[in-house]
Amino acid sequence: YNPLRDDWVLVSAHRVKRPWQGQLEKPPPEDVPRWDPNNPLCPGATRANGEVNPQYEGTFVFPNDFPALQPDAPEPGDSDHPLFRAAAARGVCKVMCFHPWSDLTLPLMSLAEIRAVIDAWADLAAELGASYPWVQIFENKGAMMGCSNPHPHCQVWASSFLPNEARLEDRTQQQHLRQHGVPMLLEYAEQEAHRKERLVVENADWLVVVPYWATWPYQTLLLPRRHVVRLQDLRESERDSLASIMQRLLIKYDNLFEVSFPYSMGWHGAPTGPYLEEDCGHWQLHAHYYPPLLRSATIRKFMVGYEMLAQAQRDLTPEQ
């Protein structure tokens, strides 16, 4: 049972032995040039809208040239039936480059460079969160996860509404606090730190676990030990130790199959905008990592068939 999503996961630990004759993924290219004038994320390159990037030396944030959300999206017309509802979705989409070099990934960056990324995340979360209810920071790494550009970067989408996952986690965490008197993920982190069955890495401020309810084979959950509701609330020392634990986790991922490990990751924290005035103590800041690989660098997990039509299913236990 996954208390964060209020749903169930089918674990079939014997199925990982079945022979594989399905699709094999190509390993990622290893000859990414450090700088390419034709790569729109590189310093000094020209982007699709004709703008020229500055010769940036650290992180670089700019508006997405192909945004999924617009600040001035029109109101839809009135619905003539309750089964045909629509509402305006407004927001802004930004891209953030982690580093000027295209051939680097987060685990290959220095602790100071990763710390600069964390600070930029927190600044964006605070800046966009001043007016928008939800700010989603996420990184798609690797072509397998639909990343169209190898340059190290993430995206930040701020929306005028709470997306589905945020609404779900808001409800489940609220219910848990009401019933048990303690934030769900604070209690969960304490339990996992004590049990040590699914612990991947830990330090004084953070721990990373394969969650008990993981659906992806190498899924992880990054949790602070202290009660923190938003990324921008982290202390200086916690930002330093976050850089350290992220580097350790991502090096472990890369070493697992000796390949630059693909994943989608993202931060979840208490809603912002109008919610800044409300008590959001039921929330606990956390990051989800969802890597697609199953048995090797070339065999991935597909969420199809039963997963799409019934519920998530995994072929090995989280402890395995």
Side-chain angles (χ1 to χ4, degrees), residues 79 137 144 173 257:
S79 168
I137 297 165
M144 208 184 292
Q173 290 180 97
F257 297 133

Side-chain angles (χ1 to χ4, degrees), residues 5-318:
R5 299 197 76 258
D6 186 25
D7 63 14
W8 292 82
V9 181
L10 176 64
V11 182
S12 324
H14 53 285
R15 270 170 56 92
V16 82
K17 297 184 177 71
R18 75 191 196 279
W20 184 270
Q21 293 181 319
Q23 177 174 323
L24 296 178
E25 304 294 335
K26 291 189 180 77
E30 293 179 5
D31 55 348
V32 176
R34 180 154 289 183
W35 184 80
D36 178 358
N38 298 314
N39 184 331
L41 299 187
C42 280
T46 304
R47 301 204 311 274
N49 63 357
E51 284 190 28
V52 178
N53 294 336
Q55 295 291 341
Y56 66 92
E57 296 180 354
T59 59
F60 169 51
V61 178
F62 62 92
N64 194 319
D65 297 326
F66 304 97
L69 293 161
Q70 305 272 10
D72 50 2
E75 281 289 344
D78 291 338
S79 168
D80 62 353
H81 194 281
L83 291 177
F84 299 90
R85 286 170 62 192
R90 299 189 176 96
V92 294
C93 299
K94 293 183 181 285
V95 176
M96 178 180 141
C97 295
F98 296 154
H99 197 280
W101 295 356
S102 292
D103 57 345
L104 277 193
T105 54
L106 276 172
L108 302 177
M109 287 164 54
S110 71
L111 286 176
E113 289 166 339
I114 299 172
R115 168 66 202 260
V117 168
I118 292 164
D119 287 339
W121 280 343
D123 290 347
L124 275 172
E127 176 196 328
L128 296 171
S131 50
Y132 285 102
W134 190 255
V135 180
Q136 185 59 64
I137 297 165
F138 66 97
E139 179 194 5
N140 295 324
K141 178 171 176 261
M144 208 184 292
M145 293 312 289
C147 182
S148 57
N149 192 314
H151 193 97
H153 72 286
C154 72
Q155 298 188 56
V156 184
W157 294 10
S159 61
S160 61
F161 55 91
L162 283 192
N164 295 341
E165 292 295 310
R167 281 193 306 161
L168 193 52
E169 289 194 2
D170 189 55
R171 175 172 65 79
T172 56
Q173 290 180 97
Q174 214 158 21
Q175 283 174 341
H176 188 93
L177 183 66
R178 233 184 351 252
Q179 290 168 1
H180 303 280
V182 60
M184 179 201 293
L185 291 180
L186 188 64
E187 183 177 11
Y188 178 66
E190 287 168 359
Q191 284 290 322
E192 288 287 28
H194 171 68
R195 292 169 189 247
K196 297 195 187 306
E197 293 168 47
R198 288 164 291 272
L199 206 52
V200 181
V201 277
E202 63 177 332
N203 62 24
D205 300 315
W206 299 87
L207 68 156
V208 176
V209 299
V210 177
Y212 177 70
W213 50 79
T215 53
W216 297 89
Y218 298 101
Q219 178 179 334
T220 52
L221 186 61
L222 171 57
L223 294 160
R225 295 183 190 268
R226 181 176 73 90
H227 186 204
V228 184
V229 299
R230 296 182 181 92
L231 196 58
Q232 51 268 44
D233 299 337
L234 291 174
R235 298 168 179 155
E236 292 289 312
S237 59
E238 288 168 332
R239 294 183 185 202
D240 285 339
S241 56
L242 175 56
S244 170
I245 204 160
M246 277 174 55
Q247 187 190 58
R248 287 169 62 202
L249 170 66
L250 298 179
I251 286 171
K252 282 183 180 291
Y253 270 150
D254 280 4
N255 286 346
L256 189 61
F257 297 133
E258 297 180 355
V259 67
S260 185
F261 211 72
Y263 58 75
S264 277
M265 71 78 65
W267 285 98
H268 281 172
T272 47
Y275 294 89
L276 291 169
E277 305 298 315
E278 296 182 14
D279 179 6
C280 290
H282 55 288
W283 270 89
Q284 174 72 327
L285 176 70
H286 58 282
H288 296 282
Y289 284 83
Y290 297 120
L293 293 177
L294 176 61
R295 305 192 208 177
S296 69
T298 59
I299 297 180
R300 69 175 294 175
K301 161 91 174 156
F302 288 93
M303 287 284 191
V304 292
Y306 190 85
E307 286 93 351
M308 294 172 81
L309 295 161
Q311 68 182 29
Q313 179 268 333
R314 58 176 290 147
D315 292 347
L316 67 168
T317 67

